Each structure stands twice: as C-alpha cells, then as structure tokens.
C-alpha cells in the first residue's frame, strides 16, 4: 500500500508513521466487524432455512457437527422423500431468479468470483453482490442444494472490503488488499479458523505456491476481529468438529497415508472434471438461465431421493466418521453422491461454496481408507478416524492448490494439531500431482499472469538487471567536436541515420548531447550555419546512466523527458562516454528475461 506523508513529530507514542498504521488498523477492524456481522446473518439464515425447509417441509434432519449449535428446535414432520426430491428444484428456481436478475456475478461458488475481482477488476465488487449472495446461497443450501459456506461468505466478506475501499477512495492496490481481508474475515469467522482464514485469503489467489504477502497481516487482523464477534454473539467458541485425541507415533503408518494421498488425488481429478463438465453442459443448454439452477436442483433432488445424505452441508456425517460411527460402503457412497450433487447444484448456476463439499468428500474417503487399513493392519492403523482429518486436508489441497492454509484449516476445525506430519505428507503429494487442475478456474498461474502485479513485476525484473549486464547492447556513436560549425555538422548529418549526437570538448571529454529534433530551429537558417557551433545546440544538463545502474532506474530516466537514448558514462568519471543505450534495447532485454522466466515456470509446472 502506498504510504502518504505524515507530519514530522506528530504522536510521540506512534512515531512518524503511527497515525498511518492506526488508520489502516481501523480499516481492517471495520472490515472484521462488518464481515463478522455478515457471517452471523448468513449463519442464522442457514439454520433457519434448514429448520423450515429441509426439516419443516421434508422432515429431513441430518446430523450436525458437535461444535455447531442451532437456535431452532426440530419439527415433528415425518420424513418425505418426494418433497425432498422437488425441494432443491424450487430452491434453485428462487436462487436463480435472485442471482440472474440482480447480480449475475454472484453465480456459482463465490470464492472464484472474489479471486476474479482481485485480479481482473481492480478489487471492485458491486455493493449489491454481498446481499444477493447471502440470500441466494442460504436458499440454495437449505433447500437441499449441495454446497458449502466458504464460497458465499468469501464473496460476502470480499464485497464488504471492496465497498469500504471504494467509499474511502483508495487505490486499486489498496482496495484489493481490503477485499482479501474481507475474504479472510468471512471464512475465518464462520469456520472458526481465524489463522487459516488469513492464510487462505493470501494463498488461494494463485495456482502456483505463492503467498500474497501484503495480504497476510491485514487479513489476520480482520479475521481475528470477525472470529471474536461471531463466537461472542453465537456462543459457539472452539472448533467446528469434536475429535478424539489423535496422535501420530508410528512411521509405518505413513504407508497407508500415502495410499490415501493416491485416493484423494484421483477423487480430486474426478471432482474437478465432473464439476466443470456439468458447467459446460449447462452453458450449452438452450433454456433460460433463470431455469438452469432449477434443473440442476431437480437432478440433485433425484440423487437425494435415494441418498439424502448427499444433500445440503453434510458436516454431521464427517463428525460421525471421526468417531468410526459409519461403514466403508456408506462413506464411499457419500463421497460419490456429494461429487454429483455439488456439481449439479453449483455447476448449474446455483449459489454455494466448494470447500464444504470438499471437506465432506475428503473426510469420507479418508474414513473409508482408514477403516480399510485398520481391518488389514490393526497394529499399525489404530485410529482410523485420524484418516478423516488428513483426508479432508489432502482432498481440498488437491482441488484448490492451497496446501498450507488447508492444513491449518483442518487442524483448527477439528482441533487435531498432532496430525500435522501426516497431513503435510498427504497434502504435499496431493499438491504435486494435482497442479494441472483446480476447482478455482479464475486462479492465475502466478504473479506474472496476474494483472494485479503487471507493473510490480515489470519493476522487479528490471531491478534484477544492470546496465553492465547488457553492455553488448550499448552502441558506440561518433563523437562530435563542440567547436564544429553547424555547416560542417550538416554535411555529416545527411550521411547518417543517427538521432542523438554526443559532444566532446577539446580534451575529448563528454560535455553535452543533442538530438535531430534540437537542430530544427537552425536547419533552415542558412545565414547562421557558419556562425552557430555545435556547443550552442547541445544541452549541458545531461541525463546519463552508468554500468552499475539497474534497468528500472534506466527506464525512469528514459521517461523523465521522454528520451529514446541515454549516454552510458563511467561511474567514477562522467566525462568518459562509454556508448549510447536505447530504450528499445532495454525493452528487448526485458522481454527476453520474461520469456526465459515463463519457460522456466512452464517446465516446473509440467514436471511435478
């Protein structure tokens, strides 16, 4: 962020930059408060919707994780599969109308929209988007649509940060940081994982392993404030899931964990291909876009008719798997059903997130693998529930390209910090073999591919090179004696294609320079040709560079007076001219460096 000047001596406690830091801290606290309030509203709507739609109309009361408390008493409505079949379609119809009528950019999983706004829209999100996303997502998810809360709340928080940044007339860079802080605040609060929320907002922006370092501290501050507000009002402190005291103490257990990594990589590939395959099918479907989420909801309802566990959130079944209260067959069925229902619900244009379903799918696969290995080698795998935790982390890493934040996410959500080692192994393997696909289509590959860093990268790469690195591009030009008359110079000028002419004094020392533009005022004054000397035309105020200067400095000097060439002089003696360097040669060298960097990055990504 740019740093405005502060008056010297202001504020003994804060120092010169104290008021500046205080101002920005206030901004991020405000984002945290607003995003925390948004998370509370969204959470309330989700609980209310489940009570009055899934429970009140269809009689479906799925289990909930131990750390989630609803303020609504369950109904006495008997379970009705037929209502459960049509309910997601009705929810999709209402959600589709809200989204496509008022804010089409809130379609689908909101994290992608937030990523796109960060990179391609200068951190700008329309003020209405958080409101529409809140309503549409709550309706989609509580009528049976399969999705998660992180996408909606990420876009809600991002919209709040963007709105504040716009109202405060901040720069694009500053508004982007405000947007990312909003993502962290929303996600960190609703999942009760403030550290993971901050890291997620900084890491999920790219496919390559890059962290948006400017985002981490603002995101952390906003996330902590939002988390505290959310827990204080809801009363739900602590982690989302309750889990046994898992430990890792047997290196032989790494073998089954590697097998789990293979499973989650394959399932992640299937999930992404299925998800975007459904998106492609619905994009070609020749019906009104208002109806597409309803069609996706109907397909979701058909699956839910036979497997209601694959509808809505599904976190309660992960909670059961943590305590080995399910079967391998059910967990595999749940994972497959969740892949399909999420693809139909969100891929058709419905509103919801993909992190929640990924947690359920990964946890189910981890539970199935853990139970299988526990039956095969009970002395090695003594806690199959631990595989649920590691499966959650490994699966989402494979589809999101965010291994660091995902490990912390799952650890905070389950309170299982003793599984960091197997989680790191599985997430590393999953990430390495999943680089070619991602559930977040708007993720640019790296900073080089992001418009948000186009100028930064240009400066960074130029600062890495110096004039001495491109001395082969510095040209030797004939030197003009400053005592030469303009008539003599005119005879020389008609025989050359030069545009810049370095001038030397009687001792041969560099004393001035002029361009073909500078001679126009004399060119047609024939009576003055014998009287005017070259030294009368040349400028003594020379803008030059030395071999030690970096190319970013060179480009700044080019642009000072819109020059095309600069003289290169010795650093210890500016009277000694080495040669002339053109702007075109500097840009050509920059393009060469970028091409080499891009090829290197491409080779890295194709060889995991």
């Amino acid at each position: 962020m740019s740093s405005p000047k502060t008056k010297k001596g202001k504020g003994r406690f804060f120092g010169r930059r104290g008021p500046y830091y205080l101002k920005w801290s206030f901004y991020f606290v405000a984002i945290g408060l607003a995003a925390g309030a948004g998370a509370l509203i969204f959470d309330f709507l989700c609980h209310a919707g489940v009570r009055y739609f899934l429970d009140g109309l269809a009689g479906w009361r799925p289990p909930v994780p131990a750390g989630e408390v609803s303020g609504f008493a369950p109904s006495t409505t008997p379970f009705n599969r037929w209502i459960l079949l049509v309910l997601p379609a009705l929810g999709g119809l209402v959600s589709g109308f809200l989204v496509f009528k008022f804010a089409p950019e809130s379609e689908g999983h909101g994290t992608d929209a937030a990523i796109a706004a960060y990179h391609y829209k200068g951190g700008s999100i329309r003020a209405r988007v958080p409101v529409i996303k809140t309503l549409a997502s709550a309706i989609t998810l509580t009528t049976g649509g399969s999705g998660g809360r992180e996408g909606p709340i990420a876009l809600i928080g991002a919209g709040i940060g963007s709105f504040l940044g716009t109202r405060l007339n901040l720069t694009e860079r500053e508004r982007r940081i405000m947007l990312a802080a909003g993502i962290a605040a929303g996600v960190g609060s609703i999942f009760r994982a403030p550290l993971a929320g901050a890291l997620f907002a900084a890491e999920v922006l790219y496919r390559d392993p890059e962290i948006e370092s400017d985002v981490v501290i603002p995101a952390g501050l906003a996330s902590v404030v939002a988390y505290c507000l959310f827990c204080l009002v809801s009363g739900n402190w602590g982690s989302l899931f309750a889990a046994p005291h898992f430990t890792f103490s047997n290196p032989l257990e790494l073998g089954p964990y590697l097998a789990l990594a293979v499973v989650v990589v394959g399932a992640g590939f299937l999930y992404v291909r299925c998800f975007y395959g459904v998106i492609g099918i619905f994009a070609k479907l020749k019906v009104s876009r208002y109806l597409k989420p309803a069609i996706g909801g109907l397909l979701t309802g058909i699956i839910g008719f036979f497997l209601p566990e694959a509808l809505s959130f599904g976190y309660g079944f992960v909670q059961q798997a943590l305590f080995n209260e399910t079967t391998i067959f059910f967990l595999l069925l749940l994972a497959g059903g969740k892949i399909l229902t999420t693809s139909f619900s969100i891929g058709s244009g419905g509103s919801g997130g993909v992190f929640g379903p990924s947690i359920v799918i990964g946890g189910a696969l981890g539970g199935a693998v853990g139970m299988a290995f526990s039956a095969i080698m009970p002395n090695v795998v003594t806690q199959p529930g631990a595989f649920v935790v590691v499966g959650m982390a490994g699966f989402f890493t494979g589809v999101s390209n965010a291994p660091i934040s995902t490990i912390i996410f799952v650890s905070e959500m389950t309170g299982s910090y003793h599984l960091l080692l197997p989680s790191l192994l599985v997430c590393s393997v999953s990430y390495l073999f999943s680089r070619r696909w991602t559930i977040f289509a708007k993720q640019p590959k790296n900073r080089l591919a992001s418009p948000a860093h186009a100028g930064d990268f240009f400066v960074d790469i130029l600062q890495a090179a110096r004039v001495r690195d491109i001395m082969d591009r510095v040209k030797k030009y004939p030197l003009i004696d400053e005592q030469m008359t303009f008539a003599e110079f005119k005879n020389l000028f008609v025989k050359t294609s030069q545009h810049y002419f370095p001038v030397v004094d009687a001792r041969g020392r560099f004393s001035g320079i002029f361009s073909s533009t500078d001679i126009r005022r004399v060119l047609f004054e024939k009576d003055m040709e014998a009287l005017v000397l070259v030294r009368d035309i040349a400028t003594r105020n020379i803008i030059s560079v030395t071999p030690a200067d970096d190319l970013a400095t060179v480009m700044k000097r080019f642009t000072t007076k819109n020059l095309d060439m600069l003289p290169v002089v010795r650093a210890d003696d500016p009277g000694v001219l080495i040669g002339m360097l053109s702007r075109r040669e500097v840009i050509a060298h920059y393009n060469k460096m970028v091409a080499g960097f891009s090829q290197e990055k491409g080779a890295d990504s194709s060889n995991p």
Side-chain angles (χ1 to χ4, degrees):
M1 292 175 290
S2 61
S3 53
K5 294 181 179 179
T6 56
K7 292 184 179 180
K8 193 171 183 178
K10 286 270 185 173
R12 290 180 60 189
F13 179 77
F14 292 104
R16 289 182 59 198
R17 293 178 59 84
Y20 169 71
Y21 293 132
L22 185 63
K23 177 187 73 173
W24 280 101
S25 297
F26 175 78
Y27 290 166
F28 299 132
V29 168
I31 291 174
L33 292 173
L40 285 166
I41 294 171
F42 182 57
D43 186 65
F44 172 80
L45 291 175
C46 287
H47 285 298
V50 168
R51 167 60 181 83
Y52 291 107
F53 296 141
L54 286 177
D55 183 0
L57 295 178
W60 173 238
R61 290 174 282 276
V64 296
E68 187 170 287
V69 179
S70 172
F72 297 89
S75 73
T76 57
T77 305
F79 179 57
N80 190 320
R81 291 182 184 273
W82 294 101
I83 294 179
L84 206 58
L85 187 148
V86 300
L87 194 58
L90 295 175
L93 187 64
V94 177
S95 172
F97 172 78
L98 288 173
V99 167
F100 293 112
K101 179 69 174 177
F102 300 105
E105 61 267 48
S106 60
E107 170 193 7
H109 56 107
T111 307
D112 230 13
I115 292 172
Y118 182 91
H119 291 290
Y120 307 110
K121 299 179 182 179
S124 180
I125 297 176
R126 288 197 296 169
R128 70 175 66 179
V129 169
V131 178
I132 300 301
K133 190 67 177 177
T134 300
L135 296 174
S137 299
I139 292 170
T140 297
L141 299 174
T142 61
T143 55
S146 176
R149 299 172 186 170
E150 110 290 338
I153 197 58
L155 189 55
I156 292 165
I160 290 170
S162 174
F163 174 78
L164 290 176
T166 301
R167 288 290 182 181
L168 293 168
N169 294 318
L170 302 181
T171 65
E172 282 193 4
R173 179 63 183 157
E174 292 165 344
R175 188 166 60 230
R176 285 186 171 105
I177 293 176
M178 298 279 279
L179 178 149
I183 295 175
V187 173
S189 60
I190 206 162
F191 285 104
R192 280 169 271 161
L195 174 59
L199 294 175
F200 177 77
E203 186 183 25
V204 77
L205 297 171
Y206 300 99
R207 291 186 64 180
D208 279 358
E210 295 196 19
I211 294 287
E212 193 68 74
S213 57
D214 288 352
V215 164
V216 176
I217 299 302
L221 180 56
S223 183
V224 167
V225 172
Y227 165 79
C228 290
L229 176 64
F230 182 87
C231 294
L232 186 66
V233 176
S234 68
N236 295 334
W237 295 89
S239 56
L240 182 63
F241 296 98
H245 181 68
F246 295 128
T247 59
F248 175 79
S249 56
N250 187 351
L252 294 177
E253 204 172 1
L254 293 178
Y257 278 122
L258 280 174
L260 173 60
V262 174
V263 171
V264 296
V265 167
F269 174 80
L270 178 64
Y271 180 39
V272 173
R273 287 293 179 267
C274 181
F275 186 83
Y276 282 104
V278 169
I279 288 178
I281 292 171
F282 274 90
K284 298 175 183 177
L285 199 61
K286 298 187 182 299
V287 297
S288 170
R289 61 181 184 174
Y290 293 93
L291 296 176
K292 290 180 181 180
I295 296 172
L298 181 61
L299 294 172
T300 299
I302 292 172
I303 297 173
F305 182 85
F306 300 99
L307 184 66
E309 292 85 356
L311 300 179
S312 195
F313 302 108
Y315 299 140
F317 302 109
V318 174
Q319 179 66 77
Q320 292 178 347
L322 285 167
F323 286 90
N324 304 320
E325 296 173 355
T326 58
T327 64
I328 294 177
F329 177 74
F330 169 75
L331 292 175
L332 293 175
L333 203 61
L334 176 64
K338 204 67 177 167
I339 289 175
L340 291 175
T341 55
T342 305
S343 299
F344 290 137
S345 299
I346 312 303
S348 62
S351 187
V354 293
F355 174 74
S358 298
I359 290 298
V360 177
I361 297 166
L365 292 173
V369 170
M371 292 172 70
F373 275 103
S374 181
I376 297 171
M377 46 181 69
N379 294 328
V380 175
V381 179
T382 58
Q383 296 178 307
F387 282 70
V388 176
V389 177
V390 179
M392 286 191 270
F395 183 83
F396 189 65
T397 291
V399 299
S400 71
N401 295 305
I404 298 172
S405 59
T406 300
I407 293 173
I408 305 301
F409 237 132
V410 173
S411 297
E412 285 191 289
M413 289 172 63
T414 61
S416 300
Y417 296 97
H418 295 283
L419 297 178
L420 288 175
L421 191 147
S423 294
L424 181 60
L425 173 68
V426 173
C427 288
S428 298
V429 173
S430 179
Y431 175 77
L432 288 173
F433 287 95
S434 303
R435 297 280 301 277
R436 297 188 182 184
W437 60 83
T438 175
I439 200 71
F440 299 125
K442 301 299 182 181
Q443 281 178 329
K445 182 172 171 51
N446 46 50
R447 289 170 180 254
L448 174 61
S450 170
H453 287 285
D456 296 345
F457 187 80
F458 180 77
V459 172
D460 288 345
I461 202 168
L462 287 179
Q463 286 178 338
R466 300 192 178 274
V467 174
R468 60 170 167 259
D469 299 328
I470 57 169
M471 290 302 292
D472 58 319
R473 296 178 182 268
V474 175
K475 307 298 182 186
K476 297 284 188 180
Y477 275 27
L479 304 178
I480 309 298
D481 190 329
E482 64 181 11
Q483 296 297 326
M484 180 184 290
T485 65
F486 185 75
E488 293 173 321
F489 171 75
K490 189 174 178 181
N491 293 329
L492 184 151
F493 180 67
V494 298
K495 298 175 183 178
T496 183
S497 59
Q498 281 181 233
H499 293 290
Y500 287 84
F501 301 90
V503 175
V504 294
D505 60 18
R507 296 179 299 165
R509 294 180 61 78
F510 182 45
S511 61
I513 192 170
F514 65 95
S515 70
S516 55
T517 304
D518 297 327
I519 66 174
R520 287 181 180 175
R521 65 182 185 273
V522 187
L523 191 60
F524 299 107
E525 298 290 339
K526 295 187 178 296
D527 296 338
M528 299 180 62
E529 289 181 355
L531 301 175
V532 176
L533 301 179
V534 165
R535 70 181 182 186
D536 299 324
I537 304 171
T539 178
R540 306 286 178 174
N541 185 21
I542 304 171
I543 300 176
S544 62
V545 295
T546 72
D549 289 328
D550 62 71
L551 297 189
T553 300
V554 173
M555 287 303 295
K556 287 179 182 178
R557 293 180 184 173
F558 273 127
T559 57
T560 299
K561 291 189 177 180
N562 195 25
L563 301 174
D564 291 320
M565 299 200 78
L566 286 174
V568 180
V569 299
R570 281 177 50 173
D572 60 343
D573 189 353
V576 178
L577 178 68
I578 299 173
M580 300 292 293
L581 178 62
S582 72
R583 189 202 302 238
R584 181 179 298 178
E585 294 292 349
V586 174
I587 293 174
H589 183 70
Y590 167 79
N591 291 334
K592 181 180 178 181
M593 292 178 71
V594 170
F597 181 81
S598 299
Q599 290 173 3
E600 182 181 338
K601 283 283 188 178
D604 289 344
S605 64
S606 61
N607 295 290

